[in-house]
Amino acid sequence: MALLAARGRLDGALLGRELAELVELGTLKVPLLTESLRAAAALPQAGPGLWPVLAAALPGFLASTRPQARAALLAVAADSARDAGAHGELPEITALAQRPGSSQLLRQARRLRDTLAAHPPPGRAGHGLHSTVGE
């Protein structure tokens, strides 16, 4: 996956939607997926290629996973969005981040929301959601 992403040959949005569907069906277990995504994010060649996968998968993940599993996925997503320079808004994340409380799930949702709300650094265009969700 990381190699395809590095070469610009990975349809991240399609892969993200498919992963979300596999999680919803129970075919793919969230802890295994989270560890795999974390490992992929640690590879230098993964670069910004992981963010489109997560951006497309998050709505499905949020609808079909336990809160504890969601928090771990959001932590990986927040790191990936930061590393990719992603910006924009995911309505599901914004809604979750606005809930009262201080659980790990809500803290990670707020971290991801804040990362996406930040402006990309000067000279770095980043990867806006408009180009990664719904491709």
Side-chain angles (χ1 to χ4, degrees), residues 16-84:
R17 290 189 303 271
E18 294 296 323
L19 289 173
E21 187 172 329
L22 290 172
V23 166
E24 186 176 338
L25 293 171
T27 306
L28 180 59
K29 301 299 178 195
V30 175
L32 176 62
L33 175 62
T34 301
E35 286 309 310
S36 297
L37 291 170
R38 188 174 287 128
L43 297 171
Q45 65 268 34
L50 186 58
W51 172 243
V53 175
L54 286 161
L58 282 174
F61 289 158
L62 293 174
S64 65
T65 58
R66 297 181 346 267
Q68 298 85 348
R70 288 183 230 155
L73 282 167
L74 288 179
V76 173
D79 292 341
S80 177
R82 179 199 63 221
D83 294 346

Side-chain angles (χ1 to χ4, degrees), residues 38 51 70-83 86 88 93-94 96-98 103-118:
R38 188 174 287 128
W51 172 243
R70 288 183 230 155
L73 282 167
L74 288 179
V76 173
D79 292 341
S80 177
R82 179 199 63 221
D83 294 346
I93 298 300
T94 301
L96 185 59
Q98 291 174 341
S103 69
Q104 183 67 11
L105 172 63
L106 296 176
R107 283 195 305 272
Q108 294 303 329
R110 291 176 189 129
R111 187 165 76 94
L112 177 55
R113 177 202 57 199
D114 295 347
T115 298
L116 294 173

